[in-house]
Amino acid sequence: MMRLSPFFALLGCALSAVAAPSAPTAAAALPTSTAKVSGLHALAKQAGKLYFGTATDNGELTNQPYVAVLNNGQMFGQITAANSMKWDATEPEQGVFTFTQGDQIAALAQPMGRLLRGHNCVWHSQLPSWVTSSNFNAAQLTSVIQNHCGTLVGHYKGKTYAWDVVNEPFNDDGTFQSNVFFNTLGQNFIPIALKAARAADPNAKLYINEFNIEGTGAKATAMKNLVKSLKAQGVPIDGVGLQSHFIVGEVPTTLVENMREFTALGIEVAITELDIRMTLPETAALLEQQQKDYQTVVAACQAVPGCVGITLWDFTDEFSWVPGTFPNMGAACPWDANLVRKPGFDGIVAGF
Ligand code: G3I
């Protein structure tokens, strides 16, 4: 769909007023951002947050207009690697570590003093087959996790604000995901990974990151119980990541209450993978609702002192993971595929 800036939209109206009435109109113009701000990270800092950031991926870094926005330090003060620090990318064969891609992402943060979030040490997805198919016993898998987390976190020691040490351990009903880690070690895989990460970089904040725990409910409760149990055992845990892959019009109504319950456990929270998808095609009404939804999410983080920052799961629809995963859905980001800022951008501004 065609998107016009307000000026061109007005011009279009003026021209269409004099155009022949029979001329078919092109796709309706979609609204764009009107906010005049230097950057979202600058706003987040003014609002007392640590950062506003984005995920990015290596293949995107050849796109110069994209990189120009990405490298605006006023806009993004924090970077996450969308893929290149995951297990399949960093230890594709047992004991063979490859950090070239991850280092390229880390290098985007460092020279500008931006924060890096490490993503991630232990996840059942994007896992090389040697981990899943070797029939490791409990002792072997323990040492596999220790070696992976220790080497990965150790490689980025001193360069990382926080690590998603464990990613997505729960099912939506609050039971543990059935995967090679849980099936071999039970819940123990979590303390094993957290302790290895702490030993490798004592200054990195250690997170468990999850989706569908942004509002209260069975899955959020399971995460709170896990945090309590880890703390009771003296296992290091500093934060919970609320991924926040939302749907337009369906943002949970209990964001603030839920974040307060998490932070009351003595940990911080962060919004780690924010995007708000819609059923295509984009319409002005959907974009308006998306603007409100972005504002709701940012305002919720703003209302909770222990919510330290917000990360977009990439900032442009050009590189969003959504269309590849959800048929007929997309337009989830605050910038469109041509890097034009959408009303959602203004929602973020208004939320701070
Ligand atoms: O690297 C290969 C490339 O060699 C191949 O040619 C190409 C063909 O499809 O695939 C490439 O791998 C893709 C990879 O992204 C890198 O682009 C995978 O197919 C694709 O499945 C993978 O998707 C990633 C997804 O995690 C995997 O689950 C997304 O980019 C990434 O944004 C997404 O991120 C996750 C978070 O880690 C955890 N939370 C949910 C979030 C969204 O799914």
Side-chain angles (χ1 to χ4, degrees):
M1 270 232 198
M2 185 165 67
R3 187 186 306 279
L4 296 177
S5 72
F7 170 78
F8 286 109
L10 280 175
L11 185 66
C13 288
L15 289 176
S16 64
V18 294
S22 58
T25 44
L30 292 170
T32 57
S33 159
T34 56
K36 302 273 177 285
V37 291
S38 58
L40 299 176
H41 176 62
L43 277 183
K45 293 288 281 186
Q46 276 167 26
K49 298 296 161 191
L50 276 182
Y51 61 83
F52 189 93
T54 184
T56 189
D57 211 350
N58 301 75
E60 301 163 12
L61 303 179
T62 52
N63 181 319
Q64 290 312 317
Y66 170 84
V67 171
V69 181
L70 178 69
N71 280 343
N72 177 354
Q74 297 286 300
M75 191 63 76
F76 300 117
Q78 178 275 322
I79 300 290
T80 305
N83 283 299
S84 53
M85 294 186 191
K86 291 173 179 174
W87 200 313
D88 60 353
T90 53
E91 195 185 3
E93 292 169 51
Q94 186 168 11
V96 178
F97 285 86
T98 57
F99 293 119
T100 319
Q101 301 269 89
D103 289 354
Q104 192 185 5
I105 304 297
L108 294 169
Q110 253 195 327
M112 301 173 71
R114 306 200 280 193
L115 299 176
L116 183 67
R117 293 194 83 263
H119 179 79
N120 56 58
C121 298
V122 177
W123 187 26
H124 59 267
S125 186
Q126 288 174 284
L127 198 54
S129 60
W130 69 263
V131 181
T132 43
S133 319
S134 298
N135 288 316
F136 291 126
N137 64 28
Q140 290 167 329
L141 192 61
T142 298
S143 107
V144 163
I145 293 171
Q146 287 170 334
N147 191 44
H148 182 73
C149 291
T151 308
L152 176 63
V153 174
H155 180 79
Y156 295 104
K157 182 179 178 183
K159 298 178 179 169
T160 322
Y161 168 69
W163 268 100
D164 293 330
V165 178
V166 175
N167 199 38
E168 303 177 4
F170 291 113
N171 296 310
D172 278 351
D173 65 1
T175 56
F176 278 95
Q177 249 270 342
S178 166
N179 59 50
V180 66
F181 304 113
F182 183 72
N183 297 346
T184 311
L185 293 161
Q187 300 182 33
N188 273 343
F189 81 90
I190 296 172
I192 291 165
L194 288 164
K195 287 177 187 169
R198 175 56 37 97
D201 186 353
N203 294 321
K205 302 271 185 191
L206 307 183
Y207 273 63
I208 304 175
N209 189 47
E210 183 59 275
F211 64 93
N212 287 350
I213 58 159
E214 298 83 5
T216 54
K219 199 176 190 181
T221 300
M223 183 66 91
K224 288 164 198 165
N225 289 337
L226 173 61
V227 170
K228 282 184 214 164
S229 143
L230 293 169
K231 284 196 157 276
Q233 297 168 67
V235 176
I237 174 74
D238 303 307
V240 165
L242 311 172
Q243 291 189 6
S244 306
H245 294 293
F246 293 130
I247 297 173
V248 164
E250 297 180 26
V251 170
T253 54
T254 52
L255 294 177
V256 172
E257 173 191 345
N258 189 50
M259 281 195 253
R260 288 202 173 125
E261 286 179 12
F262 273 117
T263 57
L265 303 176
I267 54 162
E268 60 185 47
V269 293
I271 292 177
T272 52
E273 305 188 11
L274 178 61
D275 50 27
I276 311 182
R277 61 187 183 268
M278 63 179 72
T279 301
L280 299 173
E282 285 174 282
T283 63
L286 283 166
L287 289 165
E288 240 172 65
Q289 182 61 47
Q290 188 183 47
Q291 175 174 3
K292 289 182 190 146
D293 292 339
Y294 269 110
Q295 180 172 349
T296 299
V297 177
V298 173
C301 180
Q302 187 54 29
V304 180
C307 179
V308 296
I310 298 173
T311 307
L312 298 172
W313 206 242
D314 227 319
F315 61 89
T316 158
D317 293 333
E318 176 74 2
F319 297 130
S320 170
W321 68 290
V322 168
T325 304
F326 300 100
N328 307 321
M329 296 196 92
C333 300
W335 276 254
D336 77 4
N338 297 314
L339 293 172
V340 176
R341 296 178 195 174
K342 294 156 60 176
F345 180 94
D346 296 10
I348 297 170
V349 172
F352 278 121

